[in-house]
Amino acid sequence: MTKTPDNRPSSPACLAHEAQDTYMGYASRDEIAAFLNELLEAERAGTGVARRSAEAAAGTSFVDLLRDVHHDEARWCAMLLKQLKVLGAPASTRIGAFEEKALAIQDMRERIAFLNRGQGWVVRKLREMLPKVRDDALHRDLQEMLQAHEVNIARAQSALERP
């Protein structure tokens, strides 16, 4: 082991605890804030799509699924806002373009399939970012969000397969 003139260890492994998160392969604060805002915009769009679709699907077999997705999307918006506040980062006020595109689809089955692709996009983004998140509380929240989206994708797929 190499020592400094004042006899402190100077090897990289001994000083790893002092390294920046980015040096260790984790995302920077700015990268995480941008990621959380990107998800927030997408979740806001998903909230609007699910809410308005549930209203339009009243009396059909899709209404419970859409209400549950709406509830989940709103829950994730709140979590993302909380995490942005913890980071001390401003929250985007935008709504993703996904909402307008999805609501333009008149056929409910096609709209749900489109919504499911949007859920899949969120899953892919979460899987890409999770290994780069060092903060345990944020990692736990994002992992829970990933799992909830996977459940909703499976539920929607099952609903679409029924006649």
Side-chain angles (χ1 to χ4, degrees):
M1 173 186 340
T2 310
K3 299 273 186 169
T4 63
D6 61 349
N7 207 27
R8 290 183 304 132
S10 66
S11 65
C14 293
L15 299 174
H17 69 282
E18 296 177 13
Q20 295 288 325
D21 285 350
T22 53
Y23 177 80
M24 303 299 288
Y26 293 105
S28 70
R29 178 196 169 281
D30 289 346
E31 288 173 298
I32 293 208
F35 174 74
L36 295 178
N37 271 311
E38 183 179 32
L39 287 183
L40 179 60
E41 291 173 14
E43 293 300 297
R44 280 189 183 127
T47 299
V49 171
R51 180 184 55 80
R52 293 189 49 199
S53 297
E55 292 167 0
T60 73
S61 61
F62 298 125
V63 72
D64 289 338
L65 166 70
L66 291 164
R67 284 182 183 150
D68 290 348
V69 170
H70 172 256
H71 175 12
D72 276 356
E73 298 288 280
R75 173 182 170 207
W76 300 125
C77 285
M79 179 276 289
L80 292 164
L81 287 167
K82 177 192 82 170
Q83 289 293 350
L84 283 161
K85 186 175 183 178
V86 167
L87 273 179
S92 169
T93 57
R94 292 190 299 247
I95 297 172
F98 179 83
E99 181 177 27
E100 188 177 328
K101 291 176 186 175
L103 293 175
I105 300 169
Q106 296 302 308
D107 180 83
M108 191 55 64
R109 285 182 174 278
E110 289 177 22
R111 186 185 295 177
I112 291 170
F114 189 76
L115 178 61
N116 229 21
R117 286 193 297 278
Q119 297 272 304
W121 177 88
V122 171
V123 164
R124 283 189 302 282
K125 290 292 189 176
L126 287 165
R127 285 183 181 151
E128 290 170 9
M129 182 56 84
L130 273 166
K132 301 176 190 175
V133 175
R134 187 171 197 171
D135 179 83
D136 289 339
L138 176 58
H139 194 279
R140 190 172 37 255
D141 282 350
L142 294 176
Q143 183 66 43
E144 192 176 332
M145 182 180 183
L146 169 64
Q147 292 167 344
H149 277 70
E150 290 172 334
V151 166
N152 284 338
I153 289 169
R155 285 186 64 205
Q157 190 58 43
S158 176
L160 290 171
E161 289 170 1
R162 288 192 295 269

